[in-house]
Amino acid sequence: MQENTEKKMNVDQAILRMAGVFVLVSLGLGYFWTDWFYLLTAFVGLNMLQASVTGFCPAVKVFRLLGIPYGSAFGGK
C-alpha cells in the first residue's frame, strides 16, 4: 500500500511562486510589448521589500481565504 507523500504548498511557497511569475511575465511583456510593464516588476519588488520589513503581505490574506496553510514566514508556527 502506498502512503500519501504529497507535500502541500504553503503560503510562503505560493507567494514566492506568484512573485516569480509576475516578475517574469512583466519582464517579457516589457521587452516584447511596451516599457510600461516594467512598472509591474518594480511594484512586485517594492511589495516584497515592504513585506520583508513589515511582515504584512496582502496576497497572504487571499491565499489564506483559498485554504492554503501558513508557512514559517507569514504567521506560521
Side-chain angles (χ1 to χ4, degrees):
M1 201 150 102
Q2 289 182 332
E3 63 182 73
N4 188 2
T5 59
E6 181 181 326
K7 183 180 177 188
K8 294 189 177 195
M9 180 172 29
N10 63 36
V11 170
D12 303 341
Q13 294 166 323
I15 295 293
L16 291 173
R17 286 181 188 178
M18 183 184 72
V21 167
F22 271 82
V23 166
L24 292 174
V25 167
S26 65
L27 286 174
L29 289 171
Y31 183 78
F32 291 110
W33 193 269
T34 178
D35 290 344
W36 286 100
F37 279 105
Y38 292 134
L39 291 174
L40 180 58
T41 307
F43 174 75
V44 172
L46 287 171
N47 191 25
M48 291 173 66
L49 182 63
Q50 77 80 27
S52 73
V53 172
T54 65
F56 173 75
C57 179
V60 171
K61 301 280 188 193
V62 174
F63 285 128
R64 289 296 298 142
L65 288 173
L66 294 173
I68 299 175
Y70 279 117
S72 60
F74 294 104
K77 305 289 186 236

